[in-house]
Amino acid sequence: MLINKYDLHTHTKCSDGSLSVTQLIDLAIDRGVTHLAITDHDTVNAHLQLAQMNGSYKEDEINIIKGIELSSQWNNMGIHIVGLNIDINSIAIKNAVAHQTQLRLQRVKTIAKKLTHRGFPDITEGAMRLAGDSQIGRPHIAQYMVDEGMVSTVAQAFTKYLGAGKVGDVSNIWPDLELVVKWINEAGGVAVLAHPSRYKMTRTKGRRLMADFCDAGGQAIEVCAGNQVPGVAEEMAAICNEFNFHASVGSDFHNPDYKWVRLGQYPKLPKACTPVWELF
Ligand code: AMP
Ligand code: MN
Ligand code: MN
Ligand code: MN
């Protein structure tokens, strides 16, 4: 009997992942994933590429779920919302992607300017060149800073300049959480609060975020994410129970070289949870 194995949060080269869409699917099949959501940051290009391949790629071996990870802001903090089972051709998604792409291009310039005030040369063109056709993000800026010797590692670029609360963390440009959830719902998808334990906030603030997300029409939270510390899944399961959220699972895979996050790998989903795929 084939056991279903879900990974509902993954990235390709179309945003800040390292694999092409077909490489990601091949790896997923290799790792026994039966249901894979491709959820690039603010783009559905991976799904558009698949649609162009005579229907689909290896569709008898794996189920591909159309998804996206949209950037939003809540109380001045960057919050990621994954949209699952979306209609990638809907007006809502087309508008969302166009809007976010524009913001990402503006944001690079804003970050570059802030970095010049710290004595660095303008990184705009270099980072854009590195991103190429991909949806540009902070990882491209970080890589460019490494290439130019401004920092020694990508991790250092984030801890010193680009991570939460640092000079290059420009989150106030993103649309409000409510609007992002609305886009996903209008595209027929399920809005999922991504990696809830990764936001640095107090328990009280976290509960306010959950309540606002629920009021906005959010239906699920990621109970199990890649590289998540023990105990978080149980904590998130309790939140699901309280707010009537469905539970999602996803590795947030970006790159096979990142040994701490493997495709298809995350903590076990607590029994009490109702899985998000019941909504598909
Ligand atoms: P952006 O979408 O441009 O805001 O960039 C956020 C992305 O940067 C995340 O999705 C991660 O892939 C990556 N990222 C965030 N924090 C770090 C970090 N500390 N080290 C390396 N990559 C990070
Ligand atoms: Mn990323
Ligand atoms: Mn994220
Ligand atoms: Mn992600």
Side-chain angles (χ1 to χ4, degrees):
M1 192 187 75
L2 182 69
I3 297 166
N4 284 343
K5 184 169 171 181
Y6 289 79
D7 192 333
L8 302 179
H9 186 158
T10 64
H11 296 273
T12 73
K13 263 186 189 171
C14 295
S15 63
D16 56 355
S18 67
L19 303 184
S20 68
V21 60
T22 54
Q23 285 172 328
L24 178 74
I25 290 174
D26 286 342
L27 181 60
I29 292 169
D30 231 44
R31 302 206 22 95
V33 173
T34 57
H35 294 72
L36 175 75
I38 303 172
T39 56
D40 277 309
H41 296 282
D42 299 313
T43 177
V44 291
N45 279 350
H47 296 290
L48 296 174
Q49 288 174 9
L50 278 179
Q52 283 179 349
M53 286 176 212
N54 285 331
S56 192
Y57 177 74
K58 298 197 176 174
E59 60 184 353
D60 48 344
E61 291 177 62
I62 190 166
N63 299 285
I64 302 298
I65 293 141
K66 295 184 177 72
I68 192 166
E69 181 174 17
L70 290 168
S71 309
S72 78
Q73 65 167 312
W74 178 83
N75 274 297
N76 252 321
M77 281 180 63
I79 301 288
H80 286 175
I81 308 293
V82 165
L84 295 177
N85 213 26
I86 51 168
D87 175 358
I88 57 165
N89 296 308
S90 59
I91 305 274
I93 285 298
K94 285 186 176 162
N95 283 344
V97 167
H99 187 82
Q100 303 290 77
T101 302
Q102 210 41 45
L103 288 182
R104 280 184 175 270
L105 291 171
Q106 274 170 27
R107 184 180 66 151
V108 187
K109 293 176 194 154
T110 308
I111 294 174
K113 196 159 180 197
K114 284 172 175 267
L115 289 173
T116 60
H117 294 149
R118 293 291 178 93
F120 291 115
D122 191 345
I123 53 85
T124 311
E125 278 192 28
M128 283 176 52
R129 203 177 334 110
L130 251 187
D133 294 337
S134 313
Q135 183 66 288
I136 192 163
R138 282 178 285 171
H140 302 107
I141 298 175
Q143 186 57 52
Y144 182 70
M145 292 177 81
V146 173
D147 294 350
E148 293 298 303
M150 300 176 184
V151 288
S152 46
T153 61
V154 164
Q156 195 185 57
F158 273 92
T159 45
K160 286 179 100 168
Y161 304 108
L162 303 172
K166 302 296 170 190
V167 62
D169 174 31
V170 183
S171 297
N172 62 356
I173 58 156
W174 299 120
D176 286 339
L177 177 93
E178 288 74 21
L179 177 58
V180 166
V181 171
K182 187 166 164 270
W183 281 336
I184 293 168
N185 287 336
E186 280 175 5
V190 178
V192 182
L193 183 73
H195 40 65
S197 71
R198 230 185 286 158
Y199 308 111
K200 292 204 169 43
M201 56 177 84
T202 59
R203 203 166 274 258
T204 317
K205 204 165 179 190
R207 288 178 49 80
R208 270 182 37 225
L209 168 62
M210 297 297 178
D212 286 353
F213 176 66
C214 185
D215 288 346
Q219 287 183 280
I221 63 173
E222 270 176 14
V223 170
C224 304
N227 199 24
Q228 183 173 281
V229 298
V232 168
E234 288 68 27
E235 223 177 284
M236 292 306 147
I239 288 177
C240 283
N241 186 42
E242 185 179 344
F243 291 92
N244 245 318
F245 287 139
H246 285 66
S248 190
V249 298
S251 62
D252 203 2
F253 173 87
H254 283 75
N255 184 328
D257 292 340
Y258 301 168
K259 299 297 177 206
W260 56 95
V261 177
R262 298 189 70 199
L263 188 59
Q265 192 167 294
Y266 46 78
K268 206 169 156 50
L269 185 65
K271 281 219 161 51
C273 290
T274 311
V276 69
W277 47 90
E278 289 193 358
L279 295 170
F280 295 168

